[in-house]
Amino acid sequence: MARYTVQRILQSVPTMLGITMLSFLLMHIVPGGPASVMLGDKATPQLIAQINRSLGLDRPLYIQYGVWLLQLIQGNLGYAYSYHQSVMSLIGLNLPRTLVLVVTAIVISHLLAIVIGVFQAARKESRLDHGITVVIYFLYAMPTFWLGVILISIFAVSLNWLPSGGISNPLNPNPGFFSFVQHLILPAACLVLGTIPGWSRYLRSSMIETMVQDYVRTAHAKGLRKSTVLFRHALRNSLLPLVTLAGLSLPGLFSGALIIETIFNYPGMGLLFWTAAQNRDYPILLGIVTLVGILTIVGNLLADLVYGWLDPRIKY
Amino acid sequence: MAVTSPPAAELKATRPRSESRASSPFARIWQQGLGRAGLLIVGLLILFCFVGPMIYTQDPYAMHLIAILQPPSPAFPLGTNNLGRNMLARLMLGGQTSLEVGVASAVAAMVVGVVYGMISGFAGGWVDVVMMRIIDVLRSVPTLFILIFLDSAFRPSALLLIILIALTSWHGVSRLVRAEILSLKEMPFIEAARTIGMSRTRILFVHLLRNVMATLVVAATFMVGDAVLIIAGLSFLGLGLPPPAPNWGAMLANSMAYLPQNSWWLIYPPGIAILATVLSINFLGDAIRKAFDARLNTRG
């Protein structure tokens, strides 16, 4: 296991390097290059030339990449001029909020997908199963942003049950945890509804596959109750691949979070990214692109390791 | 999911002659409920967007300032927006841009993806390893983030936007094509082609390409749906297609400002249009996949 872990970590290093190269490349295809990346709208030819000389941007590309990479490893992602702060401190402030949103959504989605998937598999080809499949088909094609708008129009505007955005009530000086949860419900629901279709469909087919296995038939033959067979025998064996699936859906979750944070004005990394795109604050954009890429790889790595740890059949 | 489709020759051979099934792919799509629904909805959407404006000849840009934010009425069947513009006319025109750009960028992405995947699979060896590593990197960074970055850097025209979408969403197809090429290139007919001294380009583009066609048609169908969603999403975020031409995503974004007025007629039509497009294209994609899949066909 230890050897596999090390091996798997080493395997992800080239991909991570690839991500830094991609960011470096993006920095250089911006019209005007990195100097205009740093100067933003204030860039003039003289200023650009001056910066190029003082920062060594006239040196060969591979040396520039090396220097930039070293800074990156030290956690220096540059300076966000529209905020007058370092990119790292901005991300440090906003990333945890995005993680709360994404992790909440992952947990709830898993639970609901399991319930739906098991239910559908247990009554497969029934009218109810087909009905749920139709609903899921619709959710699958539903654009996240439209879903967000609908949720706001129903729950925030018409019914006035929940806040339409932000993470705290500006009129309340001491918001507290409850208020935060209230603000989290709609964005998280939006992300959950976007993830459930794929996962529950997957679990349904995985369960149907498991339920024809010999050990499930044996369990039935032993006279165990139907629910025991479903949950103790079939479900446990169908669950494993869901771990990998969660790892693979990370890029989609981050994209979803970006759109959702923008709609609900939820101050996470996605909203930061979107605002930076409006202001052309390139250091923020590139910092987040790099970080999201690395987070995705780390997420997939964790999913793989957890899979190996959960499944005793896998020996390294 | 990867679609495995046997070469066309094999498909014909496995199908018994006496079978009453329709033989053309189109007819096999039409036989399925989903395929029929997909084709009908896609057809209706195209009629609505492209023929609709010829019948309903109201100006989508004209501002009726005495009738702003009006709910649906005989004069304005889908109401008006904050500038008093006719929403039905805008929905039709917006659909044109959304569908055209969607199809164009899907085609462009397919071209990039197919060429890349074919080279990677056919070359094999370290070329393949490096090319696949590059895809690993691209898969790790969510497309939307790269697109928004490029969008803010270049503020693209519709044409540039098509190119940007193509450059960021080709890699799924590449993996699919590569996998097929890898298995196809070991087949006897390719060996035969090599033995008679056929050039690599000819083998690649005449023999291999023809045999991955079924996979490509399915992938391209789904890609159109994805592209329509991406463009709508970008336009919703205030990036994407430049104004003043309307498009479904931007129309939705505009509706958000008038949520407190409960202007439901601004929220639902563009959303339903996007949903109907994506849903019907997904139906169609599933139906085409089944129509091409010989294993499913013989089983019925």
Side-chain angles (χ1 to χ4, degrees):
Chain A
M1 182 77 196
R3 208 174 133 219
Y4 172 76
T5 310
V6 173
Q7 227 175 10
R8 188 65 189 69
I9 291 173
L10 285 180
Q11 264 174 15
S12 53
V13 170
T15 321
M16 286 204 194
L17 275 179
I19 286 173
T20 62
M21 280 180 210
L22 177 72
S23 302
F24 188 72
L25 185 83
L26 287 176
M27 181 158 65
H28 281 264
I29 59 170
V30 169
S36 83
V37 165
M38 275 168 236
L39 288 167
D41 289 335
K42 285 180 224 129
T44 63
Q46 290 86 355
L47 268 176
I48 289 178
Q50 202 182 330
I51 289 219
N52 278 347
R53 238 174 299 117
S54 63
L55 292 179
L57 292 172
D58 41 6
R59 285 188 287 174
L61 272 184
Y62 63 92
I63 296 181
Q64 286 185 46
Y65 173 68
V67 172
W68 179 78
L69 190 62
L70 266 179
Q71 284 183 338
L72 187 72
I73 291 170
Q74 289 160 2
N76 179 359
L77 288 172
Y79 186 75
Y81 39 82
S82 61
Y83 289 85
H84 300 289
Q85 268 190 61
S86 78
V87 173
M88 209 55 193
S89 66
L90 273 171
I91 290 179
L93 187 70
N94 290 282
L95 178 64
R97 299 199 192 114
T98 298
L99 288 181
V100 168
L101 177 63
V102 169
V103 171
T104 310
I106 289 182
V107 172
I108 298 176
S109 285
H110 265 126
L111 291 177
L112 287 178
I114 289 170
V115 171
I116 297 172
V118 170
F119 184 81
Q120 279 191 285
R123 313 199 168 184
K124 94 181 144 148
E125 306 302 332
S126 70
R127 210 178 265 174
L128 209 57
D129 174 33
H130 290 301
I132 297 176
T133 304
V134 170
V135 173
I136 282 187
Y137 232 119
F138 268 87
L139 275 180
Y140 208 72
M142 189 91 166
T144 322
F145 44 91
W146 188 42
L147 193 62
V149 175
I150 292 179
L151 287 180
I152 293 181
S153 98
I154 295 176
F155 294 102
V157 178
S158 296
L159 298 172
N160 203 10
W161 285 353
L162 291 162
S164 65
I167 49 166
S168 60
N169 187 346
L171 300 175
N172 183 351
N174 194 10
F177 181 71
F178 179 70
S179 156
F180 176 70
V181 170
Q182 251 187 337
H183 285 83
L184 189 64
I185 293 176
L186 283 184
C190 199
L191 200 51
V192 165
L193 287 174
T195 8
I196 281 186
W199 292 359
S200 73
R201 262 172 82 167
Y202 183 87
L203 198 76
R204 176 184 177 271
S205 57
S206 163
M207 275 293 282
I208 289 176
E209 241 169 64
T210 318
M211 274 158 63
V212 295
Q213 299 288 323
D214 288 342
Y215 60 82
V216 176
R217 201 177 316 128
T218 312
H220 276 302
K222 277 198 299 188
L224 294 179
R225 266 185 310 165
K226 207 181 169 195
S227 60
T228 319
V229 179
L230 261 186
F231 289 98
R232 294 282 306 265
H233 297 258
L235 179 61
R236 282 179 78 171
N237 286 292
S238 317
L239 271 183
L240 273 173
L242 219 55
V243 176
T244 315
L245 201 66
L248 289 177
S249 8
L250 275 180
L253 281 167
F254 280 122
S255 296
L258 190 156
I259 293 179
I260 288 166
E261 286 178 9
T262 315
I263 300 175
F264 291 95
N265 210 14
Y266 180 93
M269 210 168 56
L271 188 61
L272 179 66
F273 191 82
W274 183 75
T275 318
Q278 308 289 315
N279 301 331
R280 298 201 185 185
D281 198 332
Y282 296 117
I284 299 184
L285 296 177
L286 288 171
I288 293 182
V289 165
T290 318
L291 195 74
V292 167
I294 291 174
L295 277 178
T296 305
I297 294 178
V298 172
N300 277 323
L301 181 71
L302 281 180
D304 269 11
L305 295 179
V306 168
Y307 192 100
W309 175 64
L310 282 178
D311 190 345
R313 283 170 299 188
I314 297 180
K315 292 249 162 58
Y316 304 104
Chain B
M1 275 281 61
V3 197
T4 46
S5 41
E10 212 177 283
L11 231 162
K12 279 200 190 99
T14 50
R15 204 165 47 234
R17 248 168 237 277
S18 60
E19 217 178 15
S20 61
R21 291 186 157 275
S23 51
S24 82
F26 181 80
R28 266 184 278 148
I29 295 166
W30 187 253
Q31 276 179 344
Q32 301 170 50
L34 275 188
R36 209 173 303 173
L39 276 176
L40 281 177
I41 303 174
V42 169
L44 282 178
L45 279 166
I46 292 174
L47 277 181
F48 175 77
C49 298
F50 292 92
V51 181
M54 295 176 200
I55 298 162
Y56 185 77
T57 50
Q58 299 292 321
D59 184 358
Y61 294 105
M63 295 188 249
H64 306 275
L65 291 176
I66 43 159
I68 59 166
L69 286 177
Q70 288 299 306
S73 64
F76 303 103
L78 287 181
T80 58
N81 69 0
N82 55 316
L83 295 173
R85 282 173 166 159
N86 187 324
M87 289 310 278
L88 178 60
R90 287 181 79 75
L91 194 68
M92 289 173 175
L93 188 65
Q96 289 183 12
T97 11
S98 305
L99 294 179
E100 281 165 1
V101 178
V103 171
S105 34
V107 170
M110 287 298 294
V111 172
V112 180
V114 169
V115 172
Y116 191 98
M118 289 207 325
I119 294 175
S120 180
F122 196 57
W126 64 270
V127 176
D128 182 41
V129 172
V130 171
M131 287 177 91
M132 282 301 117
R133 277 285 159 183
I134 292 176
I135 287 191
D136 279 348
V137 171
L138 287 177
R139 283 204 322 151
S140 307
V141 182
T143 313
L144 190 63
F145 285 77
I146 302 186
L147 262 178
I148 292 179
F149 173 84
L150 292 173
D151 209 311
S152 88
F154 295 104
R155 295 286 141 96
S157 59
L159 182 67
L160 188 59
L161 185 72
I162 292 170
I163 297 172
L164 290 184
I165 292 177
L167 288 180
T168 43
S169 41
W170 52 271
H171 45 83
V173 177
S174 283
R175 283 159 53 90
L176 223 64
V177 171
R178 170 184 171 267
E180 289 236 339
I181 297 283
L182 276 184
S183 67
L184 276 176
K185 75 176 181 185
E186 307 299 334
M187 299 268 237
F189 73 100
I190 296 298
E191 207 176 314
R194 273 212 190 108
T195 331
I196 60 170
M198 208 169 265
S199 77
R200 292 173 118 203
T201 344
R202 200 175 151 76
I203 294 179
L204 199 54
F205 286 95
V206 177
H207 293 272
L208 288 173
L209 183 60
R210 189 168 291 177
N211 281 299
V212 293
M213 229 38 206
T215 312
L216 292 188
V217 173
V218 177
T221 313
F222 285 118
M223 184 88 95
V224 173
D226 289 348
V228 168
L229 261 185
I230 292 177
I231 294 155
L234 278 178
S235 306
F236 179 83
L237 291 172
L239 302 154
L241 292 167
N247 67 77
W248 292 339
M251 286 167 75
L252 264 181
N254 185 51
S255 78
M256 280 209 63
Y258 306 97
L259 275 179
Q261 278 93 322
N262 231 332
S263 46
W264 53 270
W265 62 93
L266 295 182
I267 301 172
Y268 289 97
I272 292 172
I274 300 172
L275 180 67
T277 310
V278 179
L279 200 62
S280 58
I281 289 174
N282 285 354
F283 283 166
L284 204 54
D286 274 345
I288 297 175
R289 187 202 319 242
K290 275 185 196 155
F292 276 126
D293 198 333
R295 278 180 309 144
L296 281 169
N297 265 329
T298 46
R299 233 187 281 145

